[in-house]
Amino acid sequence: MKVWGVSVSYYTGKLEAYLRYKGIAYEMQHPFADQARIRKLAGAVQVPIVEREDGRFMSDSTPTIQQLEREFPARPVFPSNPVVRFIALLIEDYADEWLWRSAMYYRWSYEHDRELLSRILADEVTTHLPLPRFVRRYLVKRRQRTRFVLQDGVTDQTRPHVEAGFFNAMDGMLAMLKNRPYLLGQTPSIADIGLMGPMLRHFGQDPTPAAIMRNEWPAIAEWVARVWNAGTMSGDTSLLETVPADAALLLKEIAETHIVQLRENALAYGRGQRTFEMQAQDCHYQNLPVSRYRVYCLERLREEFHALSPDQQADVRSHLPQAEYALLWEADVAATSLYDVDRQAPFNKAINVLP
Ligand SMILES: N[C@@H](CCC(=O)N[C@@H](CS)C(=O)NCC(=O)O)C(=O)O
């Protein structure tokens, strides 16, 4: 299959980590020369997009992986225990949607990172533009920094919290990785795969966060390499049958950050707002862009929860004691994105995460 992607992209890295683990052969191409065609076929210009042998296109990494799991059932990344599976999906959603801000902040706020990454992106993404390379690099830097840092709530006042998001994620992971090679077992699950988006492609590769990871959290750097190489491993490939107690630190962080954001975003979307504010831990964020896609993320998590039996739901709730998690089982906050209503993803017309 063909993966339309970028070598430094968050969600392309997530999908590649999955494909390598599963042993699914793919060939990478950069899509941007023909944006009109991509928009027509896939709905939105974003990466990764998978062009299949049967001619169909898939976009959005989460449903793409779910579809591929049905077609390639060997080495499942979804835990067979439904409670563990739900927790894995929750961690995936946090990795996809919360760590994005910290990842973009590091890439576009530090000079070394910005200079290196603008060069790579200019060469992979903008070669079709009839402009000198220095102009294309300038345009890349300006667009990414404006859109994904300055317009995503990062200010002098929120910056320490945005940095702490990266550290807290690694602390939470470390508590689990002390007891086993992967977060939820002897083999990668969708929780590990989801975290490869930020941890491999941004924090593990961009100079500033990569130095922090290597020097202060070397076990996470080791985990990144382990997941990337997991396809070569043989032997025990089991996933846990119960949620480990050592997940508590990461699950608390998710409650206080990602779940708060999902809630305030859904409320603002319901009121027709374009921006919203929120208090996450000790930090007040303002002017965050409302995301219709993230309303859909909340809908999908709620659907997964409601598909569990009453006993399984009670078990999930016992692992998620923070009050914020009521968002996942109580309906007082409406989540009605009207996106992918027939649940056709990944074969539907996709939408961008941020407007
Ligand atoms: N929900 C999508 C998100 C894909 C996405 O946003 N990809 C980024 C690159 S990592 C992108 O293409 N952004 C479009 C842009 O910058 O305009 C997924 O999981 O695949």
Side-chain angles (χ1 to χ4, degrees), residues 9-11 45-48 60-61 100 143 147-148 293 353:
S9 136
Y10 200 98
Y11 301 98
V45 180
Q46 63 175 6
V47 289
D60 197 352
S61 59
W100 172 260
R143 175 193 192 261
R147 202 158 163 209
F148 297 121
Y293 178 79
V353 177

Side-chain angles (χ1 to χ4, degrees), residues 6 8-15 31-32 44-49 59-64 92 96-97 100 104 107 121 143-144 147-148 201-202 293 296-297 339 350-355:
V6 173
V8 293
S9 136
Y10 200 98
Y11 301 98
T12 308
K14 171 188 173 190
L15 183 66
F32 295 89
V45 180
Q46 63 175 6
V47 289
I49 294 169
S59 44
D60 197 352
S61 59
T62 300
T64 296
E92 179 196 22
D96 282 352
E97 307 302 332
W100 172 260
M104 291 310 243
R107 177 168 287 182
L121 282 175
R143 175 193 192 261
Q144 299 298 90
R147 202 158 163 209
F148 297 121
R201 276 296 148 79
H202 283 246
Y293 178 79
Y296 170 73
C297 292
Y339 167 63
I351 55 173
N352 289 120
V353 177
L354 295 178

Side-chain angles (χ1 to χ4, degrees), residues 110-120 137 141:
Y110 287 87
E111 191 187 352
H112 269 70
D113 306 60
R114 189 163 62 225
E115 292 306 313
L116 174 65
L117 270 295
S118 62
R119 181 166 293 181
I120 297 172
R137 281 183 69 192
K141 279 188 266 193

Side-chain angles (χ1 to χ4, degrees), residues 17-297:
Y18 171 77
L19 294 173
R20 287 174 68 103
Y21 173 58
K22 298 286 282 194
I24 302 173
Y26 65 96
E27 176 200 325
M28 167 87 78
Q29 288 192 2
H30 308 314
F32 295 89
D34 198 357
Q35 302 211 1
R37 179 166 168 266
I38 299 170
R39 202 179 297 281
K40 188 159 162 266
L41 293 167
V45 180
Q46 63 175 6
V47 289
I49 294 169
V50 176
E51 186 172 350
R52 302 163 52 103
E53 315 290 320
D54 64 11
R56 289 190 294 168
F57 284 76
M58 303 193 289
S59 44
D60 197 352
S61 59
T62 300
T64 296
I65 291 173
Q66 289 174 1
Q67 174 63 28
L68 290 172
E69 279 295 279
R70 288 191 277 273
E71 298 177 38
F72 299 90
R75 296 185 165 211
V77 299
F78 294 113
S80 57
N81 178 282
V83 175
V84 185
R85 178 189 140 95
F86 182 83
I87 297 296
L89 291 172
L90 175 63
I91 296 173
E92 179 196 22
D93 204 54
Y94 155 79
D96 282 352
E97 307 302 332
W98 176 260
L99 292 176
W100 172 260
R101 182 178 299 111
S102 303
M104 291 310 243
Y105 156 79
Y106 274 105
R107 177 168 287 182
W108 299 110
S109 305
Y110 287 87
E111 191 187 352
H112 269 70
D113 306 60
R114 189 163 62 225
E115 292 306 313
L116 174 65
L117 270 295
S118 62
R119 181 166 293 181
I120 297 172
L121 282 175
D123 289 349
E124 289 190 19
V125 170
T126 65
T127 39
H128 59 291
L129 299 177
L131 294 167
R133 192 194 199 204
F134 78 91
V135 178
R136 288 185 278 115
R137 281 183 69 192
Y138 168 77
L139 293 175
V140 167
K141 279 188 266 193
R142 196 181 62 177
R143 175 193 192 261
Q144 299 298 90
R145 189 152 182 246
T146 306
R147 202 158 163 209
F148 297 121
V149 183
L150 304 176
Q151 292 177 357
D152 196 26
V154 183
T155 62
D156 285 346
Q157 180 250 324
T158 62
R159 179 184 268 252
H161 189 256
V162 174
E163 295 190 349
F166 167 38
F167 310 150
N168 294 347
M170 289 192 291
D171 282 340
M173 292 169 69
L174 208 53
M176 303 172 80
L177 294 172
K178 277 190 179 134
N179 296 321
R180 66 197 76 80
Y182 300 94
L183 297 171
L184 295 170
Q186 299 302 318
T187 199
S189 70
I190 191 63
D192 302 89
I193 299 291
L195 280 161
M196 284 290 271
M199 292 294 166
L200 166 75
R201 276 296 148 79
H202 283 246
F203 303 136
Q205 290 187 179
D206 294 354
T208 299
I212 296 172
M213 181 191 285
R214 212 166 42 238
N215 294 334
E216 296 174 45
W217 279 269
I220 302 298
E222 196 183 9
W223 167 88
V224 167
R226 197 181 307 134
V227 179
W228 192 241
N229 191 38
T232 64
M233 136 191 111
S234 56
D236 185 357
T237 56
S238 61
L239 292 170
L240 296 178
E241 289 294 320
T242 54
V243 178
D246 54 35
L249 188 63
L250 188 60
L251 296 174
K252 178 170 184 286
E253 171 72 6
I254 296 175
E256 295 171 355
T257 58
H258 177 51
I259 299 298
V260 171
Q261 178 165 273
L262 277 185
R263 177 188 158 88
E264 297 307 322
N265 178 69
L267 283 169
Y269 185 77
R271 292 189 208 109
Q273 292 168 215
R274 299 178 70 149
T275 60
F276 67 102
E277 31 187 294
M278 67 175 182
Q279 178 77 24
Q281 296 165 328
D282 60 354
C283 185
H284 192 73
Y285 287 85
Q286 285 175 306
N287 291 320
L288 297 174
V290 171
S291 163
R292 179 181 173 206
Y293 178 79
R294 288 181 182 151
V295 177
Y296 170 73
C297 292

